C-alpha cells in the first residue's frame, strides 16, 4: 500500500482505497480531509460499481472480513483517531522547520510511500476523461518528488519536467530499476529552494 502522486491511497496492485485533500485557508489555516473506503463494493452516484476501487471490509475486501455495523463503526472511530493523531504529528513536525519539507523529513516520508516513482506515467489536465495525454499534459518516467511536492518526470527526450497538478495514469515500472533520483531539489526550472 502507498500513495499515488499526489494524493490517492492505493493498494500495491493499483486499486484506490482512499484519498487525501489539503486546502489552505489563509496564512495560518489548513483543512485536511482523508477518505477511506471501509465497506464495498464501492459504487458511484448512479449505483454502478467503481472499477479499480478497494475497501477494507466486506465481500471482495482487502481483509475478507464481513463485520457487523457496530464493528464497522468501532473501526471507523479507531481509524479516524489514528489518522487525526498522525496528521497533527506531521503538521507539528513540518511546522517546527518553518514548513521546510526536506528538513522536517516530510519529503522523505512521502517519497518512501510514493508508488508513482519509477513508473512510466501520463499526466492529464484535471478533469480530462480521455486516456491519451492531452497536448498540455506530460508523459515520462516519474523520477522524483521535489522540495515543492511536484512530480519530476524524465521525458522520452531525456528532459526533466516538473508537474504541479494533474491526473496521473500509471504505466509499468521501468524494468530493473526504481526511481533514479529519490527526491530532487531541482526540477525543469532549476533549484526550487
Amino acid at each position: 500500500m502507498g500513495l499515488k502522486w499526489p494524493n490517492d491511497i492505493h493498494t500495491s496492485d493499483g486499486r484506490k482505497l482512499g484519498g487525501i485533500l489539503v486546502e489552505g485557508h489563509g496564512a495560518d489555516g489548513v483543512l485536511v480531509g482523508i477518505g477511506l473506503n471501509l465497506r464495498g463494493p464501492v459504487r458511484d452516484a448512479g449505483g454502478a460499481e467503481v472499477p479499480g476501487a478497494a475497501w477494507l471490509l466486506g465481500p471482495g475486501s482487502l481483509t475478507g472480513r464481513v463485520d457487523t455495523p457496530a464493528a464497522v463503526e468501532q473501526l471507523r472511530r479507531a481509524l479516524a483517531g489514528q489518522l487525526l493523531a498522525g496528521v497533527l504529528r506531521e503538521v507539528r513536525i513540518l511546522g517546527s522547520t518553518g514548513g521546510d519539507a526536506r528538513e522536517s523529513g516530510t519529503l522523505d516520508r512521502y517519497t518512501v510511500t510514493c508508488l508513482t516513482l519509477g513508473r512510466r506515467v501520463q499526466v492529464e489536465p484535471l478533469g480530462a476523461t480521455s486516456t491519451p495525454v492531452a497536448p498540455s499534459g506530460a508523459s515520462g518516467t516519474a523520477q522524483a518528488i521535489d522540495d515543492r511536492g511536484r512530480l519530476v518526470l524524465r521525458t522520452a527526450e531525456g528532459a526533466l519536467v516538473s508537474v504541479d497538478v494533474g491526473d496521473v495514469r500509471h504505466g509499468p515500472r521501468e524494468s530493473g530499476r526504481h526511481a533514479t533520483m529519490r527526491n530532487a531539489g531541482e526540477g525543469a526550472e532549476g533549484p526550487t529552494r
Side-chain angles (χ1 to χ4, degrees):
M1 203 167 321
L3 297 170
K4 176 184 164 210
W5 185 87
N7 61 343
D8 286 343
I9 303 165
H10 274 224
T11 61
S12 58
D13 65 355
R15 294 184 299 146
K16 185 174 178 178
L17 181 60
I20 305 165
L21 292 176
V22 179
E23 182 179 300
H25 285 265
D28 297 324
V30 175
L31 178 64
V32 178
I34 301 173
L36 287 174
N37 300 328
L38 291 183
R39 302 283 315 230
V42 177
R43 301 194 180 278
D44 65 19
E49 192 170 324
V50 176
W55 52 94
L56 293 175
L57 301 171
S61 71
L62 296 176
T63 66
R65 290 180 18 206
V66 178
D67 285 307
T68 65
V72 171
E73 179 59 20
Q74 183 178 7
L75 175 63
R76 187 193 66 75
R77 287 178 186 266
L79 284 171
Q82 291 296 313
L83 287 169
L84 177 59
V87 168
L88 291 174
R89 182 176 52 251
E90 193 63 37
V91 168
R92 277 193 297 275
I93 293 169
L94 187 58
S96 73
T97 64
D100 187 311
R102 185 174 300 280
E103 186 180 332
S104 68
T106 301
L107 179 60
D108 285 336
R109 285 188 295 282
Y110 180 88
T111 300
V112 164
T113 66
C114 187
L115 300 171
T116 303
L117 295 178
R119 289 186 172 280
R120 295 271 316 144
V121 298
Q122 297 181 156
V123 182
E124 299 173 2
L126 290 177
T129 56
S130 63
T131 52
V133 173
S136 61
S139 66
T141 301
Q143 297 290 300
I145 308 297
D146 71 13
D147 290 357
R148 295 181 184 170
R150 298 177 298 185
L151 182 62
V152 179
L153 303 179
R154 183 169 304 280
T155 67
E157 296 77 29
L160 291 178
V161 175
S162 295
V163 178
D164 287 307
V165 66
D167 286 329
V168 173
R169 309 269 186 247
H170 280 181
R173 282 211 176 274
E174 271 198 3
S175 60
R177 63 184 234 200
H178 189 57
T180 58
M181 303 170 2
R182 234 177 70 125
N183 51 42
E186 294 192 16
E189 298 83 37
T192 58
R193 285 187 187 227

